[in-house]
Coordinates of all heavy atoms in Angstrom, one line a residue:
A139 N -15.5 28.7 5.4 CA -14.6 27.7 6.0 C -15.2 27.1 7.3 O -15.2 25.9 7.6 CB -13.2 28.2 6.3
A140 N -15.8 28.0 8.1 CA -16.3 27.6 9.4 C -17.5 26.7 9.2 O -17.7 25.7 9.9 CB -16.6 28.8 10.3
A141 N -18.4 27.1 8.2 CA -19.6 26.3 7.9 C -19.3 24.9 7.4 O -19.8 23.9 7.8 CB -20.5 27.1 7.0
V142 N -18.3 24.9 6.4 CA -18.0 23.6 5.8 C -17.3 22.7 6.9 O -17.6 21.5 6.9 CB -17.0 23.9 4.7 CG1 -16.3 22.5 4.2 CG2 -17.7 24.5 3.5
E143 N -16.5 23.3 7.7 CA -15.8 22.5 8.8 C -16.9 21.9 9.7 O -16.8 20.7 10.1 CB -14.8 23.4 9.6 CG -14.1 22.6 10.6 CD -13.0 23.5 11.1 OE1 -12.3 24.3 10.3 OE2 -12.6 23.4 12.3
Q144 N -17.9 22.6 10.0 CA -19.0 22.2 10.9 C -19.8 21.1 10.3 O -20.1 20.0 11.0 CB -20.0 23.4 11.3 CG -20.9 23.0 12.4 CD -21.3 24.2 13.3 OE1 -20.4 24.9 13.6 NE2 -22.5 24.4 13.5
M145 N -20.0 21.2 9.0 CA -20.7 20.1 8.3 C -19.9 18.8 8.2 O -20.3 17.7 8.5 CB -21.0 20.6 6.8 CG -22.1 19.7 6.2 SD -23.7 19.9 6.8 CE -23.9 18.2 7.6
A146 N -18.6 19.0 7.9 CA -17.7 17.9 7.8 C -17.5 17.2 9.1 O -17.5 15.9 9.2 CB -16.3 18.3 7.3
L147 N -17.4 17.9 10.1 CA -17.4 17.2 11.5 C -18.7 16.5 11.9 O -18.6 15.3 12.4 CB -17.1 18.3 12.6 CG -15.6 18.7 12.6 CD1 -15.5 20.0 13.6 CD2 -14.7 17.6 13.2
A148 N -19.8 17.0 11.5 CA -21.1 16.4 11.8 C -21.2 15.1 11.0 O -21.6 14.1 11.6 CB -22.3 17.3 11.4
W149 N -20.8 15.1 9.7 CA -20.8 13.8 8.9 C -19.8 12.8 9.5 O -20.1 11.6 9.5 CB -20.4 14.2 7.5 CG -21.5 14.9 6.7 CD1 -22.8 15.0 7.1 CD2 -21.4 15.3 5.4 NE1 -23.5 15.6 6.1 CE2 -22.7 15.8 5.0 CE3 -20.4 15.4 4.4 CZ2 -23.0 16.3 3.8 CZ3 -20.6 15.9 3.1 CH2 -22.0 16.4 2.8
T150 N -18.6 13.3 9.9 CA -17.7 12.4 10.5 C -18.3 11.6 11.7 O -18.2 10.5 11.8 CB -16.4 13.1 10.9 OG1 -15.8 13.8 9.8 CG2 -15.3 12.2 11.5
L151 N -18.9 12.4 12.6 CA -19.6 11.8 13.8 C -20.6 10.8 13.4 O -20.8 9.7 14.0 CB -20.2 12.8 14.6 CG -19.3 13.8 15.4 CD1 -19.9 15.0 16.0 CD2 -18.5 13.0 16.5
E152 N -21.4 11.1 12.3 CA -22.4 10.2 11.9 C -21.7 8.9 11.3 O -22.2 7.7 11.6 CB -23.1 10.9 10.7 CG -24.2 10.1 10.0 CD -25.6 10.5 10.4 OE1 -25.8 11.6 10.9 OE2 -26.5 9.6 10.2
L153 N -20.8 9.0 10.5 CA -20.1 7.8 9.9 C -19.4 6.9 10.9 O -19.4 5.8 10.7 CB -19.1 8.3 8.8 CG -19.7 8.9 7.6 CD1 -18.7 9.6 6.7 CD2 -20.4 7.8 6.8
L154 N -18.9 7.6 11.9 CA -18.2 6.8 13.0 C -19.2 6.4 14.0 O -18.8 5.7 15.0 CB -17.0 7.7 13.6 CG -15.9 8.1 12.6 CD1 -14.9 8.9 13.2 CD2 -15.3 6.8 12.0
D155 N -20.4 6.8 13.9 CA -21.4 6.5 14.8 C -21.0 6.8 16.3 O -21.2 6.1 17.2 CB -21.8 5.0 14.9 CG -23.1 4.7 15.6 OD1 -23.9 5.6 15.8 OD2 -23.3 3.5 15.8
L156 N -20.6 8.1 16.4 CA -20.3 8.7 17.8 C -21.4 9.7 18.1 O -22.2 10.1 17.2 CB -18.9 9.3 17.7 CG -17.8 8.3 17.5 CD1 -16.5 9.0 17.3 CD2 -17.6 7.3 18.6
P157 N -21.5 10.1 19.4 CA -22.5 11.0 19.8 C -22.6 12.3 18.8 O -21.6 12.9 18.6 CB -22.1 11.5 21.2 CG -21.3 10.4 21.7 CD -20.6 9.7 20.5
R158 N -23.8 12.5 18.2 CA -23.9 13.5 17.1 C -23.6 14.8 17.6 O -23.3 15.7 16.8 CB -25.3 13.4 16.5 CG -25.7 12.0 16.0 CD -24.7 11.5 15.0 NE -25.3 10.3 14.4 CZ -25.0 9.1 14.7 NH1 -24.2 8.9 15.7 NH2 -25.5 8.0 14.1
T159 N -23.7 15.2 18.9 CA -23.5 16.5 19.3 C -22.0 16.7 20.0 O -21.8 17.6 20.7 CB -24.5 17.0 20.4 OG1 -24.7 16.0 21.3 CG2 -25.9 17.2 19.7
A160 N -21.2 15.7 19.8 CA -19.8 15.8 20.3 C -19.2 17.1 19.6 O -19.5 17.5 18.6 CB -19.0 14.6 19.8
S161 N -18.3 17.7 20.3 CA -17.5 18.8 19.8 C -16.3 18.3 19.0 O -15.8 17.2 19.3 CB -17.2 19.8 20.9 OG -16.4 19.2 21.8
G162 N -15.9 19.1 18.1 CA -14.7 18.6 17.3 C -13.7 19.7 16.9 O -14.0 20.9 17.1
A163 N -12.6 19.3 16.4 CA -11.6 20.2 16.0 C -10.7 19.6 14.9 O -10.5 18.4 15.0 CB -10.6 20.6 17.1
L164 N -10.5 20.3 13.8 CA -9.6 19.8 12.8 C -8.3 20.4 13.0 O -8.1 21.6 13.2 CB -10.1 20.3 11.4 CG -11.5 19.7 11.0 CD1 -11.8 20.2 9.5 CD2 -11.5 18.2 11.1
V165 N -7.3 19.4 13.1 CA -6.0 19.9 13.4 C -4.9 19.2 12.4 O -5.3 18.6 11.4 CB -5.6 19.4 14.9 CG1 -6.3 20.4 15.9 CG2 -5.9 18.1 15.2
T166 N -3.6 19.2 12.7 CA -2.7 18.7 11.8 C -2.7 17.2 11.6 O -2.4 16.7 10.6 CB -1.2 19.2 12.2 OG1 -1.0 18.9 13.6 CG2 -1.1 20.7 12.0
G167 N -2.9 16.4 12.6 CA -2.9 15.0 12.6 C -3.3 14.4 13.9 O -3.8 15.2 14.9
A168 N -3.3 13.1 14.0 CA -3.7 12.5 15.2 C -2.9 12.8 16.4 O -3.4 12.8 17.6 CB -3.7 10.9 15.1
Q169 N -1.6 13.2 16.2 CA -0.8 13.6 17.3 C -1.4 14.8 18.0 O -1.5 14.9 19.1 CB 0.6 14.0 16.7 CG 1.4 14.9 17.6 CD 2.2 14.0 18.7 OE1 3.2 13.5 18.3 NE2 1.7 14.0 19.9
M170 N -1.8 15.8 17.1 CA -2.4 17.0 17.7 C -3.8 16.7 18.2 O -4.2 17.4 19.2 CB -2.4 18.2 16.8 CG -1.1 19.0 16.7 SD -0.4 19.4 18.4 CE -1.6 20.5 18.9
A171 N -4.5 15.8 17.6 CA -5.8 15.5 18.0 C -5.8 14.9 19.4 O -6.6 15.2 20.3 CB -6.5 14.6 17.0
N172 N -4.8 14.0 19.6 CA -4.6 13.4 20.9 C -4.3 14.5 21.9 O -4.8 14.5 23.1 CB -3.4 12.4 21.0 CG -3.7 11.0 20.4 OD1 -4.9 10.6 20.6 ND2 -2.8 10.4 19.8
T173 N -3.5 15.5 21.5 CA -3.1 16.5 22.5 C -4.3 17.3 22.8 O -4.5 17.7 24.1 CB -2.0 17.4 21.8 OG1 -1.0 16.6 21.3 CG2 -1.4 18.5 22.8
V174 N -5.1 17.7 21.9 CA -6.4 18.5 22.2 C -7.3 17.8 23.2 O -7.8 18.3 24.2 CB -7.2 18.8 20.9 CG1 -8.5 19.4 21.2 CG2 -6.4 19.9 20.0
C175 N -7.5 16.5 22.9 CA -8.4 15.7 23.7 C -7.8 15.6 25.1 O -8.5 15.6 26.1 CB -8.5 14.3 23.1 SG -9.5 14.2 21.6
L176 N -6.5 15.3 25.1 CA -5.9 15.1 26.5 C -5.8 16.3 27.3 O -5.8 16.3 28.5 CB -4.6 14.3 26.3 CG -4.7 12.9 25.8 CD1 -3.4 12.3 25.3 CD2 -5.4 12.0 26.9
A177 N -5.7 17.5 26.6 CA -5.7 18.8 27.3 C -7.0 19.0 28.0 O -7.2 19.4 29.1 CB -5.3 19.9 26.3

Side-chain angles (χ1 to χ4, degrees):
V142 166
E143 186 166 324
Q144 189 148 315
M145 194 70 248
L147 281 168
W149 281 355
T150 302
L151 289 168
E152 174 107 24
L153 291 168
L154 298 176
D155 192 18
L156 294 174
R158 305 302 190 266
T159 52
S161 55
L164 296 187
V165 290
T166 50
Q169 162 84 79
M170 276 315 294
N172 280 327
T173 310
V174 168
C175 292
L176 292 167

